[in-house]
Amino acid sequence: NKTFEKSFELIVDKAEKNNLIDSSDKWMEIRELRNKISHEYSNKELKALFESVKKYTPFVITQLRKKFP
């Protein structure tokens, strides 16, 4: 849904401006990854998705530790 996607983008942009998150772009990428994960894929595609999840995991953990020390 394009309307919801735009709303999410506005929310993360505002969160970044208010120093609640470090990078709205990174959170948009994570959201896109989440959307990809929510569907069924072949084993080959799952491996690529898993590698993407591993790539973003340190960023998410860092963000959570900043907000919830």
Side-chain angles (χ1 to χ4, degrees):
N1 181 320
K2 292 268 187 203
T3 302
F4 184 76
E5 192 65 32
K6 193 64 176 168
S7 296
F8 184 77
E9 186 176 354
L10 292 171
I11 290 168
V12 294
D13 283 344
K14 191 169 190 173
E16 182 179 26
K17 287 177 185 160
N18 287 301
N19 294 318
L20 297 173
I21 61 174
D22 290 340
S23 170
S24 61
D25 290 337
K26 189 78 83 174
W27 282 103
M28 290 299 293
E29 292 170 15
I30 292 168
R31 172 151 171 96
E32 184 178 327
L33 178 60
R34 178 256 167 230
N35 289 342
K36 289 178 183 177
I37 291 171
S38 67
H39 301 284
E40 292 185 29
Y41 294 95
S42 69
N43 285 341
K44 184 178 179 182
E45 292 168 315
L46 284 174
K47 184 176 180 180
L49 286 171
F50 181 71
E51 292 302 320
S52 293
V53 169
K54 286 184 359 184
K55 178 179 113 178
Y56 287 109
T57 298
F59 173 78
V60 172
I61 290 171
T62 298
Q63 293 289 284
L64 290 171
R65 285 187 176 148
K66 283 182 179 181
K67 299 304 170 197
F68 305 102

